[in-house]
Amino acid sequence: MRRLIVAGNWKMFGSKRFVAEYAATLARVRTSLPGKRFPEAISLVLFPPVAYLGYVLRQLDEQGLVDSVEVGGQDLHAAAEGAYTGSIAGEMLKDIGATWVLVGHSERRQAGETDEMVAEKFAAALRAGLKPVLCIGETESERDSGNAESVVLRQIEQVAARVGAEGLGRGVIAYEPVWAIGTGKTATPALAQAMHRVIRQALAGLAPDLGRDLALLYGGSVKPANAAELFAQPDIDGGLIGGASLEAAQFLEIAQAGRSAAH
Ligand code: PEP
């Protein structure tokens, strides 16, 4: 059975005060849940701006949540160290307590990251012992021109060619149609499921276990109102949540929506 993952990408939002209040809200909401714990079948992951990563971990620890919520970086450099001013190595993220990292988010691809760079970063994340979330997805014009599937499959193939099926299997994939990110336009559950099925079949073509075991998240304007239906789709194993993850209570409401959907 694949585990459900609900992850929050804070993008470039937050402050120390925001972090402290967020962790306090998570702790308060948790006390109202059955058994005073987050559902065990769901992994919760937060991707704060890297400047706050250590502070997020400290606040989670203070609230007794450090074993319930994992954290990750939003990006990494492909090298382990070097003269790359402003960049962060996967090894550094790992060193300060991160266990996950986003790779190839569309907001970084739009800033010039190529498939080759994304593949190198995915490999770097594995080398550092982090779990990479490979973000893939087509733009509106790629969908309108009938190329959505070929774009998404190309994005996966580039990474598979670099790290092999075994390497790919040590990460997670987030299908995030670019036209749905931060726009309020969510893919319908049927559209999202159809693409997830295509992805899973392609993964099965690389290695049967990969098709069965790799977690596939959906991302793009997920909210409490649409999460349950999306997460109930057979090939959707949770979500990567942007805007709606900036409110702790809303983020947990989305996670709760997944409770009955663990496949
Ligand atoms: C994201 O940033 O990965 C994302 C899906 O954003 P939003 O939920 O705001 O569309």
Side-chain angles (χ1 to χ4, degrees):
M1 194 170 87
R2 296 185 300 274
R3 200 177 162 78
L4 204 90
I5 300 166
V6 177
N9 172 18
W10 289 0
K11 310 187 192 230
M12 200 175 72
F13 292 103
S15 62
K16 282 175 77 175
R17 184 176 168 171
F18 170 87
V19 171
E21 286 175 2
Y22 198 98
T25 306
L26 289 184
R28 196 177 57 248
V29 174
R30 184 170 73 159
T31 59
S32 66
L33 298 175
K36 301 197 186 321
R37 42 181 35 190
F38 299 133
E40 275 163 13
I42 301 178
S43 295
L44 293 175
V45 190
L46 290 175
F47 294 95
V50 72
Y52 296 116
L53 228 152
Y55 192 64
V56 169
L57 280 166
R58 280 204 297 285
Q59 290 298 310
L60 290 173
D61 194 23
E62 260 181 39
Q63 298 290 350
L65 293 172
V66 83
D67 294 328
S68 312
V69 183
E70 293 177 86
V71 299
Q74 296 176 6
D75 184 35
L76 78 167
H77 195 280
E81 61 179 2
Y84 302 108
T85 303
S87 298
I88 312 282
E91 283 76 359
M92 295 170 181
L93 292 172
K94 180 81 178 175
D95 196 32
I96 61 167
T99 44
W100 294 71
V101 66
L102 299 181
V103 176
H105 191 280
S106 67
E107 286 154 13
R108 300 213 56 86
R109 291 182 190 259
Q110 279 160 353
E113 216 163 89
T114 62
D115 285 340
E116 292 74 19
M117 290 161 76
V118 171
E120 287 305 320
K121 289 184 176 196
F122 193 97
L126 295 182
R127 184 193 61 221
L130 295 167
K131 202 167 178 70
V133 179
L134 171 64
C135 302
I136 56 172
E138 79 286 358
T139 63
E140 191 152 37
S141 66
E142 287 164 341
R143 173 158 287 272
D144 290 347
S145 56
N147 293 320
E149 287 183 13
S150 61
V151 167
V152 160
L153 296 180
R154 186 202 69 221
Q155 291 171 337
I156 295 173
E157 276 155 20
Q158 293 275 348
V159 176
R162 176 66 182 79
V163 299
E166 185 276 328
L168 199 53
R170 288 196 273 145
V172 163
I173 292 180
Y175 168 59
E176 302 201 291
V178 180
W179 46 269
I181 297 184
T183 58
K185 283 192 215 168
T186 318
T188 61
L191 185 150
Q193 163 58 23
M195 185 61 93
H196 279 235
R197 174 54 56 94
V198 166
I199 295 168
R200 202 172 289 293
Q201 281 167 348
L203 294 171
L206 292 172
D209 289 359
L210 202 57
R212 190 193 57 218
D213 298 339
L214 197 99
L216 294 184
L217 313 185
Y218 169 78
S221 300
V222 177
K223 302 176 202 63
N226 57 26
E229 210 187 337
L230 284 161
F231 297 170
Q233 302 304 311
D235 289 300
I236 298 183
D237 306 314
L240 179 55
I241 324 299
S245 74
L246 289 168
E247 270 189 42
Q250 207 172 200
F251 179 60
L252 283 182
E253 226 184 299
I254 291 172
Q256 286 287 98
R259 215 159 33 135
S260 56
H263 307 306

